[in-house]
Amino acid sequence: MQKAKLALKANAAHKTVVQLSDRVTVGGHDLLIVGGPCSVESQAQMEIIASRLATAPVQALRGGVFKPRTSPYDFQGLGLEGLQILASVRDRYGLPVITEVMAVSQIEAIAAHADVLQVGSRNMQNFDLLKALGQVNKPILLKRGLAATIEEFVMAAEYILSHGNPNVILCERGIRSFDPYTRNVLDLGAVVALKQITHLPIVVDPSHATGKRELVADLARAAVACGADGIMVECHPEPEKSVSDARQTLSLEDMMSLVHSLEAIAVAVGRSIPSGAGVVPRLSFV
Ligand code: PEP
Ligand code: MN
């Protein structure tokens, strides 16, 4: 880790708190809970999700509109239309939104509509993208590469930091291994190590780490117990009908019970879960 300068802790108490919106932060005492679908599918879908999550202790919404799909024949995301949907639910429900940026050419439009720009695993070492995101005035959620070492992960964050953006959130989402039983292997050891060596907040994504919805809640709880600053979980009103990542997606009911079950664990590790950041509008969506 010798070449990292900006990502490493200057002393044991050094930590960066990243502001997602006026009321939502990550990296401080409060845990960040992010929920939402793998892909934004429609305005109605996002309304149902936002209205439900806004009543829970959930602080931010996720949803992909530019999707990095293994097959070019699979749904690639709603693009600009999806960004407009995200911006409208963000305004109506007061929840900051996180969405993935895959290319330098998408940065301007995404930064105009979203609160946090996500770099997906497949782009963790897209250095031109990282450099360009260093010039953006919005937080970046940087996901660990599919087979990236901890050092490579930290150095990818260093690219963004050294190009001028101090607001980087790390995201552990599992790494490739030999066992196809789970989609990836959630590396909670890396979470503990990264908390020790860097001052950056770290969020855990147990959805992509496991690929199976029945494994998500227990690993989310384990992540909070081992010191993660937050979790990001895929959920959907009809999980089996999700256009992408259906098998790992929770129902909204299961998401709500997961979030409530985290409260006692948060207290046990000296953290707290703020009440939801969202507001439910008085007029229903038509
Ligand atoms: C996602 O968060 O929707 C995603 C594609 O994740 P990852 O980059 O971790 O595979
Ligand atoms: Mn997904």
Side-chain angles (χ1 to χ4, degrees), residues 260-271:
H260 289 296
S261 76
L262 292 172
E263 280 161 2
I265 300 168
V267 172
V269 294
R271 312 292 287 264

Side-chain angles (χ1 to χ4, degrees), residues 38 62 64 67-68 100 118-122 143-144 146 173 183 205 208 232 234 245:
C38 181
R62 63 149 286 143
K67 295 301 301 175
E100 177 162 351
Q118 171 175 321
V119 177
S121 286
R122 292 154 191 81
K143 297 191 100 177
R144 184 177 181 181
L146 303 172
R173 47 75 74 201
R183 186 174 181 183
D205 169 352
H208 294 88
M232 181 163 82
E234 287 183 342
D245 287 350

